[in-house]
Amino acid sequence: MALGQAPWSLWWLALPALTLLIRLIAVERRAAQAVWLGWIAGAGYFAAGLFWIVEPFFVDAKTYGWMAPFALFFMSFGMALFWALAAGIGTMGRSPGIRAVGFAFGLAATDLLRGYIFTGFPWALIGHIWIGTPIAQAAAFVGPVGLSALTAFAAALPVLAVTNGTRIGLAVLSVAGLAAVWATGAARLAAPETPRDPAIQVRLIQPNAAQHLKWRGDMWRIFLDRQMDQTALLANTPLDLIVWPETAVPFLLSDSAGFFAALADRSNGVPVAFGIQREEGLRFFNSLAAIDSEARVTAVYDKWHLVPFGEYIPFGDVMAAFGIAAFAAQQGNGYSPGQGPVVLDLGKAGRVLPLICYEAVFPQDLRVKGDRPDWILQITNDSWFGNIVGPYQHLAQARLRAIEQGLPLLRSANTGVTAVIDAKGRILDSLPLNTEGVLDTAVPPALAPTLYSRTGDLPATILVGLGLLGLITLRRRQSD
């Protein structure tokens, strides 16, 4: 099942594997055994799909490398508790068919829950196996949880049969349903789009600054100069904006006036947006800022959906009230969150919704009040997460965000993958991982606001809630 996730994207293998798991749980009469099976299967899935979680510990392997196996163990078995819960929901059914339906509802419900509980971690949802296929276009209407529900029920349908003949018929019906969604998505992909007028020209910069070298005393100047040189390259078409990746500037915002003047000079008057850190008293923020041709700061956005244990320690400020200040963001130990999502007016570059790294995995965070942005800008530093899985799964999530909102998404990544993604989630251009370079591109056109951009996860929540209520009601009637 994990091979359905990026970068493998073997959906045709993941789907029958999920069917097998649903059957194993559906025929298990003992509730404790079913929950145990769900937990162990989930641990294997998350360990195989999210093993990139160990990569940050090897940036400084001598100091932190010993922690890596513990991180993988606790993460995989901790995330697997959601699948154990899904299996527990399935055990409310008296028959294998009802247990299969219950487990399918449970998987959809726990995928929804994972996006919100404990600040959320909606990574490797079962519906993500469709990213890169026409079926992913359904996310414009039902979102990622809707894709998960579609996947779970398509896999569960053959399990409802009581005879081999019926099982084959239901499998054909499942494939036919998926084929219909596939064809609808393909038609959406083929529909013509109105070009953006006026065009917006953007340069995306990828300096390829390896994380273990990025802040080293003899290297940070090399990487900074590399970005300055990339900024100064002549463009074939006049640019409206140049974008540097997350934490690309090695100075604090308040200490960078001289640097901004040099940057404005090297950009030939083109506005530049970049990742930078800033401070307010003892608090620090992971920010995106933009300067104009006069080196004036015209926009600032502070990342607000921070990575727990990576950018801050949960309840660190609360612990400070009891004299334990070592983890408190208010004491400068970790980042503080910003005020929330905003839309930045970047002049000729249009109205932009900024995302910093991890924020791109939360679809609910892209639904902002007020005027709709023209496009989405993500700056990120995926060099923390290795070269095999993490950066590609992060890129896949960005593609899904574009589909859900009907907005193009441009991402500038420190070591990659820098990419131009259109409003249907297609990668129009990209820079390979672990290379340096620039992408000069026109921002793709936006589509009309999607259903999902208006409703978010509310329809999926109602569907899952009704399904769970139906299971509880059926259970009570069977008990009576």
Side-chain angles (χ1 to χ4, degrees), residues 286-343:
N286 185 0
S287 305
L288 177 148
I291 61 169
D292 62 13
S293 59
E294 302 298 323
R296 295 172 297 198
V297 177
T298 57
V300 176
Y301 165 72
D302 298 321
K303 183 178 182 181
W304 68 280
H305 208 141
L306 301 174
V307 182
F309 302 103
E311 293 180 306
Y312 77 105
I313 299 297
F315 307 110
D317 285 347
V318 175
M319 286 188 283
F322 298 93
I324 306 174
F327 304 122
Q330 67 187 14
Q331 300 296 325
N333 299 309
Y335 288 124
S336 291
Q339 297 300 310
V342 298
V343 176

Side-chain angles (χ1 to χ4, degrees), residues 109-145:
T110 53
D111 270 9
L112 175 64
L113 186 64
R114 284 206 285 127
Y116 293 89
I117 193 171
F118 304 132
T119 78
F121 188 62
W123 206 294
L125 304 186
I126 60 174
H128 288 170
I129 67 172
W130 304 112
I131 298 173
T133 75
I135 287 181
Q137 298 302 307
F141 305 92
V142 298
V145 177

Side-chain angles (χ1 to χ4, degrees), residues 47-108:
L50 302 181
F51 65 85
W52 54 263
I53 198 73
V54 306
E55 296 287 353
F57 298 95
F58 291 114
V59 172
D60 183 0
K62 289 183 178 180
T63 304
Y64 302 109
W66 65 273
M67 298 181 182
F70 297 98
L72 182 60
F73 177 85
F74 287 110
M75 183 278 300
S76 57
F77 278 92
M79 296 293 291
L81 291 172
F82 289 98
W83 280 28
L85 175 60
I89 292 172
T91 62
M92 289 193 293
R94 297 287 190 181
S95 66
I98 300 301
R99 287 196 290 272
V101 171
F103 184 46
F105 266 116
L107 287 173

Side-chain angles (χ1 to χ4, degrees), residues 24-47:
L24 290 172
I25 289 179
V27 299
E28 179 55 66
R29 294 180 176 274
R30 296 165 296 178
Q33 288 295 107
V35 171
W36 171 259
L37 179 58
W39 188 41
I40 294 301
Y45 173 77
F46 288 111

Side-chain angles (χ1 to χ4, degrees), residues 272-291:
V272 183
F274 44 82
I276 194 170
Q277 299 173 89
R278 73 178 193 90
E279 62 177 335
E280 285 185 6
L282 292 178
R283 289 191 180 272
F284 290 84
F285 300 86
N286 185 0
S287 305
L288 177 148
I291 61 169

